[in-house]
């Protein structure tokens, strides 16, 4: 597990560890308001995902590369992975 990382609006957390195949990485985003986050793993294109208030979970196969998460929401969020 990595985190939790608290991100202010427009803040980016770099170098979040992910897991190698065959394991997926679960990205957990806790938010107070509706918004979105941008996730970028290694050299892949960024993925923008909507989030809702509360606990949001996303399962992805990032292949063990480091992840960057950017808060595109109007309030602070907390991000962790496992």
């Amino acid at each position: 597990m990595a985190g939790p990382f608290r991100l202010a609006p427009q803040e980016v957390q770099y170098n979040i560890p992910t897991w190698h195949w065959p394991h997926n990485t679960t990205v957990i985003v806790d938010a107070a308001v509706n918004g979105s986050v941008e996730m970028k793993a290694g050299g892949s294109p960024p993925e923008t995902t909507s989030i809702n208030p509360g606990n949001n979970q996303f399962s992805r196969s990032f292949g063990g590369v480091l992840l960057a998460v950017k808060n595109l929401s109007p309030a602070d969020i907390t991000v962790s992975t496992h």
Side-chain angles (χ1 to χ4, degrees):
M1 182 170 168
F5 305 100
R6 186 170 189 86
L7 282 74
Q10 299 301 312
E11 185 176 3
V12 180
Q13 175 65 47
Y14 296 97
N15 299 321
I16 301 172
T18 67
W19 284 257
H20 294 280
W21 185 88
H23 303 288
N24 280 349
T25 299
T26 301
V27 180
I28 302 164
V29 179
D30 287 308
V33 299
N34 289 322
S36 58
V37 294
E38 180 183 277
M39 296 186 283
K40 184 170 180 358
S44 66
E47 170 190 343
T48 301
T49 304
S50 296
I51 56 173
N52 298 310
N55 183 287
N56 300 263
Q57 295 190 18
F58 309 98
S59 180
R60 300 289 188 274
S61 178
F62 291 125
V65 298
L66 294 174
L67 176 68
V69 177
K70 181 176 183 177
N71 180 5
L72 300 175
S73 302
D76 288 3
I77 61 170
T78 303
V79 177
S80 58
T81 60
H82 53 104

